[in-house]
Amino acid sequence: GTSGLFGKFWEVGVQAWDAIHTVGLRSHYVASCYAVPLMKKNNPKRKGSMARPMIAMISSFGGITYTFNVAYGVGKAAVDRLAKDMAVELKDEDIQVTSFYPGVVLTERTQRAVDSGDWSKEVGIPLENAESPGYTGKAIIAVAKDDDNMTKTGTFQVVAELASEYKFTEDNGFRPPSIRSLKFLLPAYAFDEETRKKVDPNLIPDWKLPFFIMKNGEPPKPT
């Protein structure tokens, strides 16, 4: 369901925490514990001609700013820290690790929130600029194939911004803007529905807010 995404921490209770931290955060840690010995054994630094091993973690802008609820944000921030600290221990092994920030992703759970009315009631962001789950997959592949990807190890990377860097798009050719871009922020938070229909998205500049501004607490409510 979608109820665990919305509500104050004392309302959603311990179950919401366990869903994010046990299923999400712990799964990243457990999978990495088992994967790294195999990566070390088959690292092309020692043999073969495969790409450098990489651990890809799925986080979100919730790691740096309030999103949905307390458990969600703390869980995503922990994923980012997990990637950062793993990168320290994996540097000498030549294994890359990156935390990826998708935008608004049209997953089955998002669709259920839309269908139930929770999305309109609790979030309200229009979905014209939503990303497919496969868009994040393309970002992971692009970074994995980059011979210089160790420059990104231990960092978080925004999927939409990687799309511009590595020149990939959605299957239909669309390139959704970054959540911190005016192309996303103005339609989502400043324009009402009538204005969104009138303004050509191509006229909105792709200027991005600095991350230190994105960290300043809860985003505004959509118009």
Side-chain angles (χ1 to χ4, degrees), residues 108-181:
E108 292 87 349
R109 190 174 193 181
T110 304
Q111 190 60 58
R112 288 198 299 271
V114 172
D115 294 341
S116 69
D118 284 346
W119 187 267
S120 177
K121 177 183 175 183
E122 303 288 350
V123 183
I125 296 173
L127 294 172
E128 289 86 350
N129 289 319
E131 301 171 9
S132 70
Y135 204 50
T136 298
K138 291 183 178 184
I140 293 171
I141 291 171
V143 174
K145 292 170 63 178
D146 185 350
D147 290 338
D148 295 323
N149 61 16
M150 287 302 282
T151 60
K152 292 181 171 66
T153 195
T155 68
F156 62 81
Q157 296 290 321
V158 180
V159 167
E161 294 171 29
L162 290 172
S164 296
E165 178 181 351
Y166 291 105
K167 311 301 181 188
F168 64 84
T169 66
E170 292 277 19
D171 289 347
N172 62 3
F174 179 54
R175 183 175 288 157
S178 170
I179 280 182
R180 65 190 185 108
S181 169

Side-chain angles (χ1 to χ4, degrees), residues 18-219:
D18 289 345
I20 295 293
H21 293 256
T22 301
V23 177
L25 177 61
R26 186 175 186 275
S27 295
H28 281 101
Y29 185 85
V30 171
S32 299
C33 285
Y34 285 101
V36 167
L38 298 176
M39 291 177 169
K40 288 177 61 177
K41 182 179 179 181
N42 296 286
N43 195 332
K45 181 180 180 181
R46 297 175 174 85
K47 67 175 185 177
S49 58
M50 295 170 57
R52 175 184 289 111
M54 185 179 83
I55 297 174
M57 301 186 181
I58 306 302
S59 185
S60 82
F61 276 92
I64 60 172
T65 189
Y66 181 87
T67 305
F68 296 133
N69 59 41
V70 171
Y72 183 90
V74 174
K76 296 304 182 183
V79 169
D80 293 346
R81 181 57 185 265
L82 190 65
K84 182 178 180 180
D85 286 4
M86 280 187 178
V88 173
E89 298 188 1
L90 291 171
K91 182 179 179 180
D92 291 341
E93 304 296 339
D94 197 41
I95 296 174
Q96 206 268 11
V97 54
T98 296
S99 180
F100 289 85
Y101 280 19
V104 176
V105 182
L106 196 57
T107 62
E108 292 87 349
R109 190 174 193 181
T110 304
Q111 190 60 58
R112 288 198 299 271
V114 172
D115 294 341
S116 69
D118 284 346
W119 187 267
S120 177
K121 177 183 175 183
E122 303 288 350
V123 183
I125 296 173
L127 294 172
E128 289 86 350
N129 289 319
E131 301 171 9
S132 70
Y135 204 50
T136 298
K138 291 183 178 184
I140 293 171
I141 291 171
V143 174
K145 292 170 63 178
D146 185 350
D147 290 338
D148 295 323
N149 61 16
M150 287 302 282
T151 60
K152 292 181 171 66
T153 195
T155 68
F156 62 81
Q157 296 290 321
V158 180
V159 167
E161 294 171 29
L162 290 172
S164 296
E165 178 181 351
Y166 291 105
K167 311 301 181 188
F168 64 84
T169 66
E170 292 277 19
D171 289 347
N172 62 3
F174 179 54
R175 183 175 288 157
S178 170
I179 280 182
R180 65 190 185 108
S181 169
L182 292 185
K183 282 184 172 292
F184 181 93
L185 293 169
L186 290 182
Y189 295 107
F191 297 167
D192 57 23
E193 185 175 357
E194 183 178 354
T195 304
R196 285 196 295 270
K197 292 178 180 178
K198 292 180 178 179
V199 175
D200 183 349
N202 294 317
L203 298 179
I204 303 174
D206 190 24
W207 296 341
K208 298 175 182 66
L209 294 185
F211 283 108
F212 74 83
I213 293 179
M214 299 295 291
K215 295 178 180 179
N216 284 337
E218 183 179 10

